[in-house]
Amino acid sequence: MRWVVHGAGAVGGVIGGHLHLAGLPTTLVARGAHLAAIHDGGLRLDSGDGMHRIVAPATDTAAEVEWTDDTAVLLAVKSHQVAAALDDLAAHAPPGTTVVCATNGVATEVAALRRFPATYAVCVMLPSTHLEPGLVVAKCHPVPGLLDVGRIPAGTDDRTAAVASDLRSAGFESVERDDVMAWKRRKLLLNVGNGVDASFVPGAAADALADLAQREGERVLAAAGLTVTSAEDDRERRGDLLRRRDDLPPAGGSTWQSLRRGTGDTEVDYLAGEVVLLGRLHAVPTPACEAVVAATHRLTRTGGDPRSLSADEVMAALR
């Protein structure tokens, strides 16, 4: 297929860069200084086998994409940016376009399905970093990520087969999943700790807060009657496939990166905040996740340093 990577940041940039290196026609959609840097010198992809310069078409709008019948969109913006991205796509992409959601959280797929009937989801297990314009870093090698794909609302078809095939040709591990959202909900339980990682001083109290938040997530998903892949199956899927590079400095997850770059926003409302929402819908208390969301919003508003808040104070209040 021909690929449009809408959101060429940490995840989208690494996937798009590898698709391009595999010889698949790829257009990158980015914005601001990141797009300017890509225009100036290409997208720099730091992978385990060196630094690659990805010279591919790049734009800030789907209006400039050369749409064809075999063009697919990899939607890789942060969850809180999905609405604007879908507005852009709905205005310019053919209505039958395949839209493959490669986002954290579990809200993007329904939003995309409202606009595009051919909506698919990827469970993204891809440690990556984007801290400076024009540069994305794949933190694992030789396999940069696991990208399992399924149809929304469920099942597999010829398009899931084609997507998985393209991703494998680009060096990723990818299999088709009949219930891909069950895998994404397990990933959500891991991602509820992103706000803790971003906002609080590392230590025993932060670890305890992350554990409480994850357990709240388990309870609300059960109360909602939603399918969730078991932790054991998730560990088995990962196995030893994702091998962290030892040549990289330490860096946090996606929410930490947003705070570090001073973007002025994060996707916390769709991670720990998703647990809060489900808790309110199903009458399950979620005080730990509420505290994580509030703390991350406070740092975002004030421009505070990542990992600067005391988790001890939060844990004391929760007790």
Side-chain angles (χ1 to χ4, degrees):
M1 289 186 285
R2 304 176 67 86
W3 285 95
V4 174
V5 178
H6 207 301
V11 169
V14 169
I15 298 175
H18 280 89
L19 289 170
H20 175 83
L21 291 173
L24 295 164
T26 304
T27 298
L28 305 175
V29 180
R31 58 181 182 170
H34 188 44
L35 177 61
I38 294 171
H39 280 158
D40 287 344
L43 174 68
R44 290 178 293 147
L45 169 60
D46 181 352
S47 67
D49 60 356
M51 183 73 75
H52 302 275
R53 188 166 72 96
I54 309 301
V55 180
T59 178
D60 62 355
T61 173
E64 297 180 2
V65 172
E66 295 183 10
W67 296 99
T68 63
D69 290 341
D70 61 347
T71 299
V73 173
L74 186 85
L75 186 58
V77 296
K78 295 272 187 12
S79 294
H80 62 289
Q81 300 163 339
V82 163
L86 287 174
D87 283 345
D88 183 39
L89 289 169
H92 305 293
T97 298
T98 297
V99 176
V100 183
C101 303
T103 54
N104 284 329
V106 293
T108 299
E109 290 75 18
V110 171
L113 189 62
R114 188 184 296 275
R115 314 295 285 274
F116 293 93
T119 292
Y120 297 78
V122 171
C123 182
V124 177
M125 299 179 237
L126 198 167
S128 53
T129 303
H130 168 49
L131 292 176
E132 64 179 87
L135 174 66
V136 294
V137 180
K139 296 166 71 171
C140 292
H141 183 77
V143 177
L146 312 183
L147 302 172
D148 294 347
V149 60
R151 185 178 178 177
I152 298 300
T156 60
D157 57 20
D158 58 345
R159 298 195 204 195
T160 58
V163 171
S165 176
D166 277 5
L167 292 172
R168 287 193 298 269
S169 73
F172 299 95
E173 287 283 336
S174 181
V175 299
E176 298 171 74
R177 298 289 183 188
D178 285 328
D179 188 359
V180 69
M181 292 308 295
W183 290 85
K184 293 203 70 167
R185 293 182 194 111
R186 173 55 57 185
K187 177 73 186 309
L188 172 66
L189 292 174
L190 300 177
N191 288 146
V192 295
N194 282 25
V196 179
D197 167 66
S199 303
F200 295 96
V201 177
D207 292 342
L209 179 58
D211 183 65
L212 279 179
Q214 187 175 72
R215 281 188 277 154
E216 289 178 356
E218 296 269 11
R219 288 196 292 271
V220 300
L221 291 173
L226 297 168
T227 57
V228 184
T229 298
S230 71
E232 180 180 354
D233 285 346
D234 183 67
R235 285 192 296 269
E236 182 179 346
R237 173 65 180 119
R238 294 169 187 264
D240 61 355
L241 289 171
L242 295 180
R243 302 177 185 176
R244 296 273 184 157
R245 294 166 53 186
D246 57 12
D247 62 324
L248 297 174
S254 60
T255 306
W256 177 89
Q257 292 175 44
S258 293
L259 290 178
R260 177 69 176 78
R261 285 162 41 216
T263 60
D265 54 18
T266 76
E267 60 184 340
V268 71
D269 285 333
Y270 294 89
L271 302 178
E274 187 72 24
V275 175
V276 173
L277 172 61
L278 286 171
R280 291 170 181 171
L281 288 172
H282 298 281
V284 178
T286 58
C289 285
E290 290 179 14
V292 171
V293 172
T296 306
H297 279 313
R298 185 162 68 252
L299 278 185
T300 303
R301 286 194 305 270
T302 62
D305 292 332
R307 297 175 175 167
S308 60
L309 301 180
S310 170
D312 293 286
E313 296 176 3
V314 175
M315 290 299 296
L318 291 175
R319 284 193 290 269

